Structures are given as structure tokens and as C-alpha cells.
Amino acid sequence: MKKKYKILITNDDGLFSFGLIPLVKELSKLGELCVIIPEKEMSAISHSLTLFSPVRVKEIKFDRFKIKLVSGTPADCVRLGIIEFQKKQTDIVISGINQGPNLGQDVNYSGTVAAAREAVFLNTTGVAISTNGTNYELISKISRKIIEKILKTNLGKPLLLNINFPKNKPKGIQITSLGDRRYKEMVHKKIDPVGVPYYWLKSKLVCNVVQNNVSDVVAVTKGYISITPLTYDITDYKNLHEVKKIFSDFNI
């Protein structure tokens, strides 16, 4: 008998994300869904959790699917979904489909990627899906095939995967590392009607740095789906020895 998977779907864009319902429709073919998303836009919120105020949840029906709207962050959604609503029986968490890519160092800011990372913190495979394109039906169909492949492969430990789709129909998939994107960082200072200054924090992509031919940036630029395995261990192992040398004669 074919296993009916328990799948949790979230995002950082809220209810009106273009990719939400196409993804829900496709993944409903694989099993039982818990769709739990922020009630408002939460892009670039990273791994923020709501700790000092209550998190409220209301359920609605949208395009025949039950969807839980959460007054918190994407990571809150995953924590609630796994622990409270699926009672720690979740097989996989899918975060997305994000409007716009999450490539290179952008994953550190991404609420989409953070939701997938929170799944791994809770001993569950987490997959973040983002796209440069707008054909969400096609992206969702391919995503379902990728997710089904992951679910049928028992590696004995949770995976954290960051998946990015190119602008046009993909040529295939490539397993990649994180690339390097360079931005011009800007602060726009404005004055409100009563004379008090306020600021917009903005950035503009200047270029993608090609360090190697297996980066997510290169793969997506060339028209491939990039699948990047990530880890939450952010220790800088390359400089571990150097830092030990710096503090070798340090006394308090």
C-alpha cells in the first residue's frame, strides 16, 4: 500500500503568493497537507521567532483548501505546524514557492530558507523552493516530482535543500554549492510631513561572481534548476586554526 505522506507547506509571502495554490494542488497528490503561512508579507525576515507575544492562528478556506494564517513568522509557522498541528508526524516541510530567487548569500536573509531550516531543527527534512520564472504550474509539477523523489529516499537524517528555478523552462537539474552575489547597498533618507526623518534600506544587485561552475548562481543563469544542500552549522572551519593561534597566549 502506497504511503500517504504528511506534508507541511509554508511560505514567507502570505496568502496571495502566486506560487502557493499551484504548489498546494500538486502536493495534495502526495499526501495529507497542513498549509500554514504568515498572515502578511514576511520576506527577508530570516529565522526570526515570536517569543514575547502570543501567536494567533485562524483557518480559512481558499480555493477549496484549508489554510492556517499565522500572526507570526515563517519559522513560527513550521514550529506550530510540526509540533501542534501534525503532532511531530510531519514527513517533509516545503517552503515556497518564493517569488524571486534565493541564491548565494541571500539565503541568510531569506524567510523562505529559514522555514526549511526550522524543519531541520525539528528533525524533519526541509525544502525551500524559489523561482526567477512565473510559470507556477510547471514549477509546481516539477517540484512535486523532486519532492516525491526525496520522500522515497530514506537517508536516515533530515535534509536541508535550497531549490531555485530559472526564468524559463528548465533544461534539467544541477546539484550546486552557494554562489556569490554582489550588491550596492543603499540607504534612502526621507522627511515625513512633520519634519521627522525616516529611512528605506535598499540594495541593488550589481553582479553575480562566478567562482566555480557548480554554484547555484551559475546553474540558474544557464537555465537549470539548482539544488543546493545546506547545513545549519555555520562554523568557519577554514579559520578555526587561525583563531586558535590568535588566542593561544590570551589570559584573563
Side-chain angles (χ1 to χ4, degrees):
M1 184 177 177
K2 188 176 179 181
K3 176 178 170 64
K4 190 161 184 165
Y5 298 105
K6 286 186 178 289
I7 301 168
L8 192 152
I9 298 175
T10 192
N11 66 20
D12 69 356
D13 293 317
L15 183 60
F16 297 108
S17 166
F18 295 120
L20 178 63
I21 296 303
L23 183 66
V24 168
K25 286 179 178 177
E26 285 297 323
L27 296 190
S28 66
K29 299 172 185 177
L30 296 180
E32 178 186 321
L33 302 186
C34 174
V35 185
I36 181 165
I37 61 176
E39 65 181 5
K40 62 182 181 180
E41 171 75 36
M42 285 281 172
S43 295
I45 198 83
S46 190
H47 210 116
S48 177
L49 289 172
T50 304
L51 299 179
F52 301 106
S53 60
V55 177
R56 306 201 181 272
V57 181
K58 56 188 174 185
E59 187 172 275
I60 64 166
K61 217 166 188 184
F62 189 76
D63 199 356
R64 76 182 168 87
F65 294 102
K66 290 181 180 179
I67 297 175
K68 291 177 171 61
L69 300 178
V70 176
S71 66
T73 68
D76 290 335
C77 291
V78 174
R79 185 162 281 269
L80 275 169
I82 291 177
I83 298 171
E84 177 65 20
F85 297 115
Q86 290 194 318
K87 305 301 181 186
K88 298 185 179 179
Q89 295 179 348
T90 308
D91 291 299
I92 196 166
V93 171
I94 311 301
S95 180
I97 301 167
N98 191 67
Q99 297 159 218
N102 278 300
L103 301 166
Q105 63 267 43
D106 294 353
V107 302
N108 295 292
Y109 298 102
S110 170
T112 303
V113 176
R117 190 187 304 118
E118 181 66 21
V120 178
F121 288 170
L122 296 172
N123 202 37
T124 305
T125 289
V127 179
I129 302 174
S130 306
T131 181
N132 250 336
T134 56
N135 188 344
Y136 290 100
E137 284 72 23
L138 176 63
I139 294 163
S140 297
K141 286 178 181 177
I142 297 172
S143 295
R144 173 178 53 81
K145 291 180 180 178
I146 292 172
I147 291 157
E148 190 170 21
K149 182 77 171 172
I150 295 166
L151 285 166
K152 288 180 177 178
T153 305
N154 182 12
L155 297 178
K157 61 180 180 179
L159 288 171
L160 175 55
L161 299 178
N162 186 41
I163 299 176
N164 282 274
F165 280 77
K167 185 175 183 179
N168 300 313
K169 184 178 179 179
K171 298 176 183 178
I173 67 167
Q174 290 188 354
I175 310 305
T176 59
S177 58
L178 290 180
D180 189 4
R181 311 187 92 198
R182 299 291 168 87
Y183 290 89
K184 180 181 179 182
E185 306 296 345
M186 296 169 282
V187 174
H188 295 291
K189 181 180 179 181
K190 305 287 183 181
I191 305 296
D192 72 14
V194 295
V196 178
Y198 65 96
Y199 304 89
W200 282 100
L201 306 179
K202 300 294 289 182
S203 61
K204 181 180 179 181
L205 181 65
V206 176
C207 67
N208 293 316
V209 179
V210 179
Q211 294 176 314
N212 59 66
N213 289 321
V214 292
S215 76
D216 55 357
V217 171
V218 172
V220 170
T221 301
K222 290 184 175 180
Y224 290 88
I225 300 167
S226 73
I227 302 179
T228 309
L230 303 178
T231 175
Y232 55 78
D233 180 356
I234 57 174
T235 305
D236 183 359
Y237 290 101
K238 288 183 180 178
N239 282 315
L240 201 58
H241 183 66
E242 292 302 314
V243 175
K244 282 182 180 179
K245 285 201 298 186
I246 291 170
F247 291 97
S248 62
D249 60 351
F250 183 83
N251 293 307
I252 295 177

